[in-house]
Amino acid sequence: MRTFFSGLLMCLFVAHGMAQDAYGFKGYITDDNSEALAGNILLLSLSDSTLVKGDFFYDGTFQIVSPSAGEYLLQITSLGYRDTIFRVSNEGSQATYTDLGTINMRSDGIDLETVTVTAKIPPFEQTQNGTINVNVQKTMLASSNNVMDVLAKSPTVMVSSGVVSIVGKGEAILLLNGKQTNAQQLASIPVSQIEKIEIISNPSAKYDASGNAVINVITIVNEAEGFQGTLMENAVFGRYFLNIASLNLNYRTGKLSLTADYGSTLGTDWVTGTYDRIINDEGQELRSTLQTDEEYDVRNLSTYRFGLGYAISPKSSISLQYDGLYKRMDLSHDSRNVSTTTEDNSILLIEALNNGTTENVNNSVSLNYNLVTDSLGSSLFVGGQFSRFNTNSLDLISEDISFDESIITSALRRNDNRNEFGLYFGQIDYVKQLKSGARVELGLKHAYVNSDGRIDFSSKRDGSEEFVDFPELSNGFLYDEHVSAAYAQYTGSIKNMGFSAGLRVENSTIDGFSRRLDRKVIDTTYINFFPSASLNGAFNENWSWALTFSSRINRPVYQNLDPFVVYFDSLSSRQGNPSLVPEMAQSVEGILAYKGYSLKLGYTNERNAFRSVVQQGGNSARAVFSSVQNLEVLNSYFANLSIPINYKFWSSFNTITTTLFRVNDDRPDFQRSVGLRPQFYFYTINQFNINNLFMFELGGEYNSGESNGVFVTKPEYSMNMGVSKSFLEGKLMCRLTYNDAFRLYRPRGEQQIGNVFSSYDNRLNTHFLLVSVTYSFGKLKEVSYSNKAVGEDGIQRVKN
């Protein structure tokens, strides 16, 4: 680490030195009263007055780069003052920037009255290349409890068990302002600070190769000097009460920018489930039905973030950011598992109550340097990040086992689980803007991840005073992963057609050591190449088209690699799988667009696709366990139609997608047991401006479910409605949202793996009334702070 940060600091000094080779002009602009002004400054060609370079100034001070030493025209504009144009020269100057001194501007003599400009920004927009932009603050999504809730309600986005995927594409990686992040760090950002979300179905080589798609969360940039804050309070009334509050502060003075966030969640969340299993074991059927009721009492969920930015010069800046999360949660997991056999109709009943506790402590620090290297806007980014994640959980499971109504075992199980992850990242990105308008992007990145996990399982029967260790259910796992990456991408145009081509190369070295087995269970090194390309053009001003190709990788979540056994009851458990290998996907996508409407067709070939499967195994023929396994090949074909509507008081965005998934796996356990059935997905959100008094919103989502030959999902429905109104000239926003208004959302599915048929039927905490109040205070002119978390592709693979 010392070597890495020394190298990073060296890069900062070298990069900053590169900025000193530029020529330019600087000065100070005031009015007749010597008050500093704000406005625009333009550098023009002396021969024909064409624009050479443009910039802005906000505190009187300006500094503008010229492509070379010579004579130019300098034009200064400021609202309420006459434009000023004069001749300047820096030929023969020994200084990097020629100082023009103080420049006084004269008033134009016109008193401006207040002018109100009203613009209608649609809540959803789709670009020519198929990217969907969700303008969060313009919809009832702004009153969501957290960022993951926003994503779950966004078009074509599905969220299940913490995994974010895009309909027709598969699992997506999460970005924050263009750099990868994860759900844990997104949790530290108040929803009130999210400006928009970009849903990118076919990303280019400049993005990390993880995931089949990209979701980019973009935060609000407050452009003012001074102080500003936003306070949000959400009260959730459902089966239980849940309270979510957040505070965001921004402050800037001179070259220094500060930002801070704090969020708190208190209350109770819940989920219920019914799981049916049928095991064909040597001619007889072993049937079981497991019913669970889980309640999560959040004692303390605090997220906090602090960032500091400093403008070294008008073209270079440095920023430091700290992100933290503390979570303490009590679990009450009540389950009832009834198992029968067709041979003798015997009944085995297992009743278990888990009173567990979980504690998470996450800390992350990132350091960034940004530099504009020339007058065309070429830029250099250097960043480093260190993160530490600690999870401690203690399950105390009271278990009673009865056979034909007679108790045969009553015991207390103790499951002590500890995990610690360390993540270290360094990244350099360079963008070269060419005079032709083309762009070259180059980058290097190295990531190192280590984890140390341990699980200790013990049990004691009623009447016993001591716990007895179970070595077969206890383990320790050490994991180390190095991933080095390099990418290059060129973007340009030929006549009326734009194009891009890129290549990303990643080298991975992975080791995994099992303490229980006392040997390595993972020892692999591999190199992967990820090409990408795109073409786009327009037939006329209304019709456009695009064609894209990308190749991606999706590495396993670290906990899914741990060869641990997570105990639910004597017949049910979850196990890690150290044999997991990364998913590899190649996608082709075509888009035809007319104005805001678009038709998208695509195909994805996915090798080693991840799926959670249920199989027979354990200390009894009736026992089953779930684990994540690789499928040999998963093919998907999809078509998507997007239809925006903007008519007077009514704005609507609608998308319809049909996808056919097909599993091809020659292993006996994964042979097709059911026919293929495509998935139909429909999403709609509608805004109605009721006489400019308040906004009414109505949104809905329908997923028909699908069958890929092995795995089957059942239809899912959801409908949300809400009203919103702003007060105090927009500073106070009040929203009332009825989420899953008719309590329709119900994830269900089934699978046949080998001799085990299993199904699930879940209910989640989606049916509730939400009261949201957001208040903004203070005033800013500009905040230049920004920070990019460069190591979040690794962090995203940590589950909390």
Side-chain angles (χ1 to χ4, degrees):
M1 282 302 295
R2 183 179 300 171
T3 303
F4 167 72
F5 280 109
S6 298
L8 177 59
L9 290 174
M10 184 177 294
C11 288
L12 299 184
F13 287 120
V14 171
H16 182 58
M18 293 172 59
Q20 307 306 314
D21 295 332
Y23 293 93
F25 302 91
K26 64 180 182 180
Y28 187 67
I29 302 173
T30 66
D31 62 10
D32 292 334
N33 298 318
S34 298
E35 296 287 339
L37 297 180
N40 296 306
I41 187 160
L42 307 176
L43 193 65
L44 310 176
S45 170
L46 184 63
S47 60
D48 57 8
S49 298
T50 57
L51 179 65
V52 175
K53 180 69 175 177
D55 209 336
F56 66 94
F57 59 93
Y58 55 90
D59 59 356
T61 302
F62 75 88
Q63 189 167 298
I64 190 166
V65 176
S66 61
S68 61
E71 290 189 291
Y72 300 90
L73 293 177
L74 196 69
Q75 180 176 350
I76 305 171
T77 63
S78 182
L79 187 64
Y81 295 85
R82 297 176 184 176
D83 287 1
T84 300
I85 302 177
F86 55 92
R87 188 169 178 168
V88 294
S89 174
N90 55 7
E91 282 185 325
S93 175
Q94 299 300 313
T96 301
Y97 287 92
T98 300
D99 193 347
L100 302 178
T102 301
I103 303 169
N104 296 110
M105 298 189 68
R106 296 182 179 181
S107 170
D108 59 11
I110 301 175
D111 293 329
L112 297 178
E113 298 180 356
T114 300
V115 178
T116 302
V117 179
T118 302
K120 184 178 181 181
I121 302 176
F124 299 91
E125 300 172 282
Q126 186 157 263
T127 65
Q128 180 181 343
N129 63 5
T131 296
I132 297 176
N133 293 323
V134 183
N135 296 311
V136 175
Q137 298 305 316
K138 302 300 178 182
T139 73
M140 61 183 172
L141 296 177
S143 63
S144 300
N145 294 328
N146 51 60
V147 178
M148 296 301 285
D149 192 24
V150 174
L151 294 178
K153 296 175 184 176
S154 297
T156 72
V157 178
M158 309 290 288
V159 179
S160 177
S161 302
V163 176
V164 181
S165 59
I166 294 180
V167 174
K169 298 295 296 184
E171 188 172 346
I173 58 173
L174 303 176
L175 304 185
L176 177 61
N177 296 323
K179 294 297 176 181
Q180 277 192 279
T181 189
N182 72 322
Q184 287 73 35
Q185 285 200 297
L186 282 180
S188 69
I189 301 173
V191 175
S192 61
Q193 294 304 303
I194 299 175
E195 179 182 5
K196 69 177 181 177
I197 294 174
E198 296 177 334
I199 303 170
I200 308 170
S201 59
N202 240 18
S204 65
K206 72 177 181 179
Y207 296 104
D208 276 55
S210 302
N212 296 329
V214 166
I215 295 176
N216 187 21
V217 178
I218 299 175
T219 55
I220 295 172
V221 177
N222 299 295
E223 298 184 352
E225 180 167 329
F227 173 76
Q228 187 183 62
T230 302
L231 179 65
M232 186 176 78
E233 167 68 24
N234 281 2
V236 180
F237 302 90
R239 177 173 167 180
Y240 299 105
F241 177 73
L242 197 64
N243 185 79
I244 300 98
S246 66
L247 174 65
N248 169 260
L249 301 174
N250 288 296
Y251 175 73
R252 170 171 178 156
T253 177
K255 296 182 177 182
L256 182 67
S257 301
L258 301 174
T259 185
D261 296 316
Y262 177 77
S264 175
T265 300
L266 297 172
T268 303
D269 205 352
W270 61 271
V271 59
T272 64
T274 300
Y275 307 90
D276 291 317
R277 291 97 174 230
I278 302 175
I279 304 174
N280 290 306
D281 186 67
E282 298 180 354
Q284 69 169 330
E285 282 190 353
L286 307 175
R287 294 175 174 264
S288 68
T289 298
L290 172 64
Q291 295 179 310
T292 64
D293 189 349
E294 298 180 58
E295 294 181 0
Y296 305 92
D297 189 2
V298 182
R299 297 294 187 182
N300 184 357
L301 173 53
S302 296
T303 59
Y304 28 91
R305 187 167 60 118
F306 175 78
L308 181 151
Y310 183 76
I312 302 172
S313 72
K315 303 302 177 186
S316 62
S317 63
I318 191 168
S319 63
L320 180 69
Q321 180 168 305
Y322 166 76
D323 292 89
L325 177 146
Y326 177 79
K327 177 180 176 182
R328 181 177 175 84
M329 181 178 67
D330 292 342
L331 169 66
S332 176
H333 183 157
D334 194 357
S335 67
R336 177 183 173 86
N337 194 348
V338 179
S339 177
T340 62
T341 68
T342 56
E343 184 178 46
D344 55 10
N345 293 321
S346 60
I347 299 176
L348 182 67
L349 172 63
I350 301 177
E351 295 179 297
L353 176 62
N354 180 2
N355 290 312
T357 301
T358 299
E359 184 180 66
N360 300 107
V361 180
N362 302 342
N363 295 286
S364 181
V365 178
S366 57
L367 176 66
N368 292 175
Y369 177 78
N370 291 276
L371 171 70
V372 177
T373 60
D374 61 32
S375 60
L376 296 175
S378 301
S379 62
L380 177 71
F381 167 81
V382 182
Q385 183 171 347
F386 165 72
S387 301
R388 179 68 65 180
F389 294 79
N390 293 285
T391 301
N392 295 290
S393 63
L394 177 63
D395 295 332
L396 294 174
I397 306 169
S398 301
E399 186 176 33
D400 293 326
I401 304 176
S402 304
F403 187 76
D404 286 341
E405 299 183 354
S406 297
I407 294 180
I408 58 175
T409 299
S410 183
L412 178 63
R413 323 290 192 189
R414 180 186 176 97
N415 191 8
D416 191 355
N417 189 348
R418 300 179 297 279
N419 273 287
E420 182 175 289
F421 294 87
L423 303 98
Y424 310 82
F425 302 89
Q427 179 175 339
I428 299 176
D429 292 311
Y430 178 67
V431 179
K432 177 62 177 177
Q433 300 283 355
L434 305 179
K435 291 184 178 180
S436 63
R439 183 173 68 251
V440 178
E441 298 172 79
L442 304 171
L444 297 171
K445 182 174 182 179
H446 181 76
Y448 169 60
V449 179
N450 64 48
S451 72
D452 185 354
R454 185 183 294 274
I455 187 168
D456 296 315
F457 190 88
S458 57
S459 178
K460 71 173 184 177
R461 294 179 181 271
D462 274 359
S464 175
E465 295 184 358
E466 295 185 359
F467 282 91
V468 177
D469 292 334
F470 275 64
E472 64 272 19
L473 295 179
S474 301
N475 198 359
F477 187 63
L478 299 174
Y479 181 85
D480 284 276
E481 177 185 276
H482 292 265
V483 178
S484 299
Y487 78 89
Q489 179 162 306
Y490 181 85
T491 303
S493 62
I494 300 176
K495 295 184 179 180
N496 294 325
M497 183 178 69
F499 68 91
S500 69
L503 177 66
R504 190 178 188 92
V505 182
E506 294 188 350
N507 179 76
S508 304
T509 301
I510 304 171
D511 292 313
F513 181 84
S514 170
R515 286 193 173 98
R516 181 168 69 87
L517 301 177
D518 194 27
R519 63 177 175 85
K520 282 188 177 182
V521 292
I522 305 174
D523 186 3
T524 182
T525 298
Y526 54 85
I527 298 177
N528 294 116
F529 297 86
F530 304 99
S532 66
S534 69
L535 296 171
N536 63 80
F539 301 110
N540 52 46
E541 62 180 8
N542 293 325
W543 288 92
S544 63
W545 61 273
L547 182 65
T548 61
F549 166 79
S550 68
S551 51
R552 314 286 297 168
I553 187 173
N554 190 20
R555 295 183 177 87
V557 173
Y558 302 122
Q559 286 90 332
N560 288 339
L561 291 167
D562 293 356
F564 290 174
V565 176
V566 180
Y567 186 91
F568 299 129
D569 62 37
S570 293
L571 297 182
S572 308
S573 63
R574 184 176 70 241
Q575 298 183 13
N577 179 12
S579 299
L580 281 177
V581 298
E583 296 178 328
M584 305 294 293
Q586 293 183 323
S587 300
V588 177
E589 195 171 285
I591 305 165
L592 181 65
Y594 173 73
K595 294 184 177 180
Y597 306 91
S598 72
L599 174 65
K600 187 186 303 183
L601 303 175
Y603 164 74
T604 299
N605 175 269
E606 198 169 353
R607 293 179 286 115
N608 304 318
F610 299 142
R611 283 296 185 276
S612 180
V613 304
V614 178
Q615 296 171 289
Q616 185 182 22
N619 56 6
S620 167
R622 303 172 189 249
V624 297
F625 71 93
S626 65
S627 66
V628 176
Q629 302 284 341
N630 289 118
L631 302 179
E632 289 182 351
V633 179
L634 177 65
N635 292 315
S636 61
Y637 311 81
F638 80 94
N640 170 269
L641 179 64
S642 295
I643 306 171
I645 299 174
N646 289 288
Y647 178 74
K648 294 182 179 178
F649 64 90
W650 175 35
S651 294
S652 176
F653 184 84
N654 309 275
T655 183
I656 304 169
T657 304
T658 178
T659 308
L660 178 65
F661 295 94
R662 182 187 181 99
V663 171
N664 292 315
D665 199 313
D666 292 332
R667 292 172 294 177
D669 283 355
F670 293 92
Q671 293 301 298
R672 292 187 193 136
S673 56
V674 291
L676 300 178
R677 186 179 75 245
Q679 175 193 75
F680 293 95
Y681 170 86
F682 174 67
Y683 175 95
T684 183
I685 187 166
N686 301 269
Q687 286 187 335
F688 302 91
N689 189 341
I690 310 300
N691 294 327
N692 292 321
L693 296 177
F694 63 90
M695 189 76 72
F696 174 72
E697 295 189 33
L698 178 66
E701 202 168 12
Y702 167 71
N703 186 343
S704 72
E706 52 94 10
S707 172
N708 56 37
V710 178
F711 303 89
V712 177
T713 59
K714 300 298 180 68
E716 298 173 5
Y717 316 80
S718 180
M719 182 171 290
N720 310 309
M721 58 184 70
V723 293
S724 62
K725 183 172 177 58
S726 63
F727 302 90
L728 303 178
E729 297 181 344
K731 293 183 178 181
L732 178 65
M733 174 63 73
C734 299
R735 288 184 171 94
L736 181 65
T737 304
Y738 198 12
N739 198 77
D740 189 15
F742 302 105
R743 205 186 180 197
L744 299 173
Y745 187 67
R746 187 178 174 184
R748 295 174 296 157
E750 59 189 42
Q751 59 180 255
Q752 177 77 50
I753 306 296
N755 64 332
V756 179
F757 170 85
S758 62
S759 67
Y760 64 91
D761 186 347
N762 294 330
R763 289 282 192 183
L764 307 177
N765 186 20
T766 58
H767 176 68
F768 54 78
L769 185 67
L770 169 66
V771 179
S772 176
V773 178
T774 303
Y775 177 68
S776 299
F777 54 92
K779 185 177 182 181
L780 290 169
K781 286 168 55 180
E782 178 175 351
V783 170
S784 65
Y785 170 77
S786 66
N787 187 279
K788 301 180 181 180
V790 303
E792 301 306 339
D793 56 320
I795 293 174
Q796 188 172 342
R797 293 165 58 200
V798 179
K799 280 186 177 179
N800 277 351

